[in-house]
Amino acid sequence: MAAAALDQLRSIFLDDTPDKVVINESGDKYQDAVTYPWSQTCWTPAAAYVYLSTAEELTKALAIVQETGTKFAVRTTGHNPNVGFSSVGEAGVVLDIRELRSKELLSDQQGIARFGSGNTWGEVYAWLEERGLSAIGGRDSQVGLGGFLLGGGLGALPNLYGLGADGVKNFEILLADGKLINANSNENSDLFRALKGGGSNFGIVTRFDLETHPLINVQYTINLYNPEDHVAINQATFEVQQTMEKDPKIGLFTNFNNGFVAVGLLYGDHPDESEARETFRPFHDLKSLVTTVLPSTNGTLLSLAQAMGHAQTPLKRSICTVTTRNSPELYEEVYKTWVEVRKTLATDTVLHYTIQPVGTAAVQAGKDRGENIMGHESVPQCWWVFTCEWPKDGDDVAAQSAVNTMSEKVQNLAKERGLLLEFKCMSFATASQKVLGSYGAENVKRMQEVAAKYDPEGVFQKQNGGFLLRENV
């Protein structure tokens, strides 16, 4: 099947642009295509990588994939570390849409900017900043729009304007039947809601029309603390989370890593030194500060995303997530669990975790912008992410087991204390987690009805991977 698809793809695309279809015989270009994803776990050689620069080209390629019954995966930046989500084996084809990089500020609709789905957040922020504008997106400049927005999208300051998905005003999406349609609050509104957190179940989004805001200034600092002070660090995290409920400009993350705890203190403005110090007083009062890796900086979402960007390193990665209510006692139990699980791993394997606060203002902001499909509860909460990184092939089982153990134990700890929330964030989940099912039975039914309406043949349930309705509810 892949051979038949490859013959047709090459006959259509290779005459005009030889690099459109990259196969094993393509040498370095093929190796670059295989090793492009962020996580080495996704370096799975495909029969071909097809680089598509227009919606018309994508339509032709998707039709060939369907006609030949070939396995396929859709890829932009390949930032999701789950095997098969943006990669496929030698029996399949990767449709790479990174070249869909259009940018346009609409003159007839105030505050709306259009971006092709191949853009990264670094590119979007830079383009908007030149025009004195911002949009709500990722915290890392290298992350692409597609996976982030379709998975919900937790940004640096979620309490200000909600999640990334909440800021989408329109999706241009290619359906399985080859139609290119718009989904917004007026057209195909059922699909519009389902796309705000529903992943790749309904089609291939080719363009996002985003709500923009006057340039958002951000003050940010990243401090490293001694993990032996974990009780006080967890307490400080909880106290700032409480303050967040009164001040939606506050952003925060607390990352427990090997030998240090990295804390990001973020604020959606440029406060003076005394105001900033009072806002984050619980952390400034700690006696365990080791160093400041990123001194207090008055920047923007662009400069923050650039500061938090990371070099591509050849590591294998696995992640998982849990959502809980806030509790310093729970944070301590999670810390103790992490210490024990780390003992099961090789010395060159790193297991770390991050407390990511989301306030009630973030949930309300989503409702104010037309309700997404994710079913968030209006309570202060943490979107935990547990990450394992390792270099050796032989450590795959142990690393994935560590991630699964953290997920299971933290869920049990939270459940015992009445602190567990069902929601799981798609962007931070491992493949086996029932993300779509965590949105609630009513929302699952809505997504199933939308999929049946817009993809009656279930084409997008046959793609190689993803949090798909066929298995994830």
Side-chain angles (χ1 to χ4, degrees):
M1 289 183 284
L6 191 54
D7 287 342
Q8 293 188 46
L9 289 166
R10 295 179 76 184
S11 69
I12 289 176
F13 294 121
L14 281 186
D15 288 342
D16 297 328
T17 310
D19 293 341
K20 281 277 188 189
V21 182
V22 174
I23 59 174
N24 204 1
E25 288 78 11
S26 304
D28 290 345
K29 289 173 183 164
Y30 182 78
Q31 189 61 24
D32 289 344
V34 172
T35 59
Y36 181 74
W38 172 58
S39 174
Q40 196 174 345
T41 50
C42 299
W43 292 4
T44 310
Y49 297 84
V50 188
Y51 292 89
L52 305 155
S53 54
T54 67
E56 292 73 23
E57 289 181 351
L58 177 60
T59 302
K60 292 176 184 178
L62 181 62
I64 290 170
V65 164
Q66 290 186 69
E67 289 166 8
T68 57
T70 304
K71 279 187 177 182
F72 72 98
V74 180
R75 182 171 83 182
T76 50
T77 60
H79 206 77
N80 190 298
N82 288 307
V83 179
F85 281 37
S86 60
S87 55
V88 65
E90 293 179 354
V93 170
V94 172
L95 305 178
D96 191 299
I97 58 174
R98 274 181 284 157
E99 294 177 18
L100 299 181
R101 280 186 158 134
S102 61
K103 302 173 184 67
E104 178 187 6
L105 190 61
L106 298 188
S107 57
D108 59 337
Q109 296 183 50
Q110 188 174 8
I112 306 297
R114 288 177 165 173
F115 297 98
S117 53
N119 283 290
T120 65
W121 284 108
E123 292 166 339
V124 167
Y125 290 149
W127 191 86
L128 286 174
E129 192 164 308
E130 290 176 357
R131 292 154 179 80
L133 299 170
S134 295
I136 303 306
R139 295 171 292 186
D140 185 327
S141 60
Q142 297 157 313
V143 169
L145 270 66
F148 180 86
L149 293 172
L150 295 174
L154 179 63
L157 303 165
N159 299 321
L160 266 185
Y161 300 107
L163 305 179
D166 298 322
V168 180
K169 306 301 286 186
N170 178 73
F171 299 87
E172 181 186 81
I173 180 171
L174 176 64
L175 302 181
D177 63 6
K179 292 177 182 175
L180 192 67
I181 67 170
N182 289 302
N184 53 57
S185 58
N186 297 315
E187 301 174 82
N188 305 303
S189 57
D190 52 350
L191 176 59
F192 177 56
R193 181 175 181 180
L195 286 167
K196 294 197 285 184
S200 59
N201 282 283
F202 316 104
I204 303 173
V205 175
T206 56
R207 194 191 74 224
F208 298 90
D209 298 358
L210 303 182
E211 175 185 14
T212 66
H213 309 274
L215 187 65
I216 298 172
N217 291 315
V218 187
Q219 185 177 95
Y220 46 90
T221 307
I222 298 180
N223 290 330
L224 299 188
Y225 297 90
N226 188 330
E228 293 182 5
D229 196 27
H230 55 89
V231 174
I233 295 169
N234 282 326
Q235 182 62 36
T237 299
F238 176 72
E239 289 178 17
V240 172
Q241 285 178 284
Q242 289 181 302
T243 307
M244 289 173 74
E245 290 300 297
K246 304 169 189 173
D247 186 351
K249 290 184 177 182
I250 296 174
L252 174 72
F253 63 84
T254 303
N255 170 256
F256 281 82
N257 214 309
N258 285 11
F260 64 88
V261 182
V263 177
L265 308 175
L266 318 174
Y267 196 76
D269 204 344
H270 290 167
D272 59 40
E273 185 177 347
S274 61
E275 182 184 357
R277 186 163 189 85
E278 183 56 32
T279 299
F280 297 110
R281 179 191 51 76
F283 285 103
H284 293 308
D285 287 349
L286 294 176
K287 308 300 182 186
S288 54
L289 178 66
V290 176
T291 187
T292 297
V293 293
L294 184 58
S296 182
T297 303
N298 285 334
T300 61
L301 291 176
L302 171 61
S303 64
L304 172 62
Q306 290 171 334
M308 293 186 64
H310 55 270
Q312 172 70 293
T313 52
L315 292 173
K316 293 195 168 188
R317 293 176 172 91
S318 182
I319 57 176
C320 71
T321 189
V322 178
T323 304
T324 72
R325 294 174 185 264
N326 304 338
S327 163
E329 291 79 19
L330 175 64
Y331 301 170
E332 270 304 291
E333 292 302 315
V334 173
Y335 172 81
K336 293 174 185 175
T337 301
W338 172 66
V339 169
E340 291 304 311
V341 173
R342 283 175 59 200
K343 294 176 182 177
T344 66
L345 297 169
T347 55
D348 57 359
T349 298
V350 176
L351 176 68
H352 59 95
Y353 70 92
T354 308
I355 300 172
Q356 303 181 120
V358 175
T360 52
V363 178
Q364 187 58 46
K367 292 179 179 178
D368 293 343
R369 285 166 173 74
E371 200 92 31
N372 56 54
I373 200 68
M374 293 173 278
H376 302 122
E377 295 184 48
S378 294
V379 296
Q381 53 198 271
C382 281
W383 294 9
W384 301 78
V385 58
F386 303 94
T387 305
C388 200
E389 299 174 309
W390 68 102
K392 293 180 182 177
D393 290 346
D395 292 334
D396 291 22
V397 173
Q400 187 62 52
S401 176
V403 165
N404 293 342
T405 299
M406 288 302 302
S407 171
E408 293 166 8
K409 291 198 171 185
V410 172
Q411 285 187 86
N412 290 336
L413 288 167
K415 192 171 185 179
E416 289 169 5
R417 291 158 177 76
L419 299 171
L420 182 65
L421 299 178
E422 291 301 316
F423 170 74
K424 295 178 179 64
C425 180
M426 186 179 290
S427 300
F428 310 122
T430 199
S432 61
Q433 292 189 290
K434 301 296 184 184
V435 170
L436 301 180
S438 77
Y439 295 176
E442 185 178 345
N443 285 329
V444 168
K445 183 181 178 185
R446 284 175 174 157
M447 288 186 288
Q448 289 171 331
E449 289 172 349
V450 168
K453 177 179 176 181
Y454 293 92
D455 182 19
E457 301 300 318
V459 170
F460 291 101
Q461 299 308 308
K462 299 170 188 173
Q463 60 186 303
N464 193 50
F467 294 105
L468 303 177
L469 284 163
R470 74 182 187 208
E471 60 192 3
N472 198 252
V473 298

